[in-house]
Amino acid sequence: MSDLFIVSAPSGAGKTSLVKALLEAVPGLAVSVSHTTRSPRPGEKEGAHYHFVNHDKFLELIDQDAFLEHAQVFGNWYGTSREGVQKSLSVGQDVVLEIDWQGARQARAAFPNAVSIFILPPSQDSLRQRLQGRGQDSPEVIEKRLAGAQEDLSHVEEFDHVVVNDDFSAALGHLITIVLAHRAHTPKPWVCPLHQT
């Protein structure tokens, strides 16, 4: 039985770095590559980080019901391929969705047994420092992201688990523990093959 893990966080909380490290540490996990209408950032590659599409193509995919979830964030669209996720799960691959709270809500509606995890920054100040330290956004965009973080944080109670990314190694360890614990969970009903008659 494959597991679907949903990982969400405010922008700048370290979600992408944690998920990357999680994939390196735990075999048999694959991250779903989202579609987006935003422009690639330096170092991002088509098909590896995102599927970059224009606005019209994205709306066409929405009309085709191609997305498991989709949302507009900071003026750009993001969406998860329904077919891609179902294909991975059907061959026994555990899948990680790295999406925002809006997408997480849609994905949980489609997959009620999905395991949802919210990554918290230790403080608002640390979040500001991380966003500024990335050097990817203008001051105006950073302020928008900080304001958006307050909205994100108001949905934390919708998630099964919370991981505070204060110390990266500790946060990664917590994330790994959650994944391994859910993998070891025994589905019901279950019969031990050693006790079959």
Side-chain angles (χ1 to χ4, degrees):
M1 185 74 177
S2 301
D3 288 311
L4 180 65
F5 296 96
I6 300 168
V7 182
S8 300
S11 180
K15 168 171 54 74
T16 300
S17 297
L18 280 170
V19 168
K20 182 174 183 287
L22 174 68
L23 295 174
E24 292 171 354
V26 180
L29 272 179
V31 68
S32 174
V33 180
S34 299
H35 288 67
T36 185
T37 58
R38 77 160 171 76
S39 300
R41 289 175 178 155
E44 288 184 335
K45 296 178 181 177
E46 164 64 30
H49 297 92
Y50 286 96
H51 297 295
F52 296 99
V53 297
N54 62 36
H55 187 265
D56 289 343
K57 178 62 176 177
F58 196 98
L59 295 182
E60 182 183 318
L61 290 168
I62 291 176
D63 289 341
Q64 294 170 358
D65 197 29
F67 295 124
L68 171 63
E69 61 79 27
H70 63 275
Q72 193 170 26
V73 183
F74 302 118
N76 294 304
W77 284 98
Y78 296 83
T80 300
S81 166
R82 184 185 305 277
E83 182 183 2
V85 170
Q86 290 175 334
K87 188 179 293 183
S88 293
L89 292 173
S90 69
V91 297
Q93 178 81 60
D94 290 339
V95 178
V96 178
L97 300 185
E98 189 185 329
I99 54 181
D100 76 330
W101 70 265
Q102 300 173 72
R105 184 179 284 178
Q106 295 172 55
R108 285 197 307 270
F111 291 90
N113 293 328
V115 180
S116 57
I117 306 161
F118 196 89
I119 309 295
L120 277 178
S123 68
Q124 183 83 352
D125 286 342
S126 69
L127 191 61
R128 180 184 296 276
Q129 290 169 8
R130 288 177 186 178
L131 287 170
Q132 291 172 338
R134 293 195 310 193
Q136 296 175 337
D137 300 310
S138 67
E140 293 77 19
V141 170
I142 288 173
E143 291 307 315
K144 282 184 181 178
R145 291 190 183 280
L146 287 170
Q150 294 305 310
E151 172 69 11
D152 295 338
L153 294 172
S154 71
H155 296 275
V156 68
E157 292 181 359
E158 298 176 17
F159 290 78
D160 300 318
H161 303 276
V162 174
V163 173
V164 179
N165 188 14
D166 189 359
D167 176 86
F168 186 85
S169 295
L172 176 59
H174 190 179
L175 199 54
I176 291 170
T177 299
I178 292 168
V179 170
L180 295 181
H182 280 278
R183 277 185 169 180
H185 178 71
T186 306
K188 304 294 189 270
W190 185 78
V191 177
C192 177
L194 299 178
H195 291 92
Q196 288 180 337
T197 55

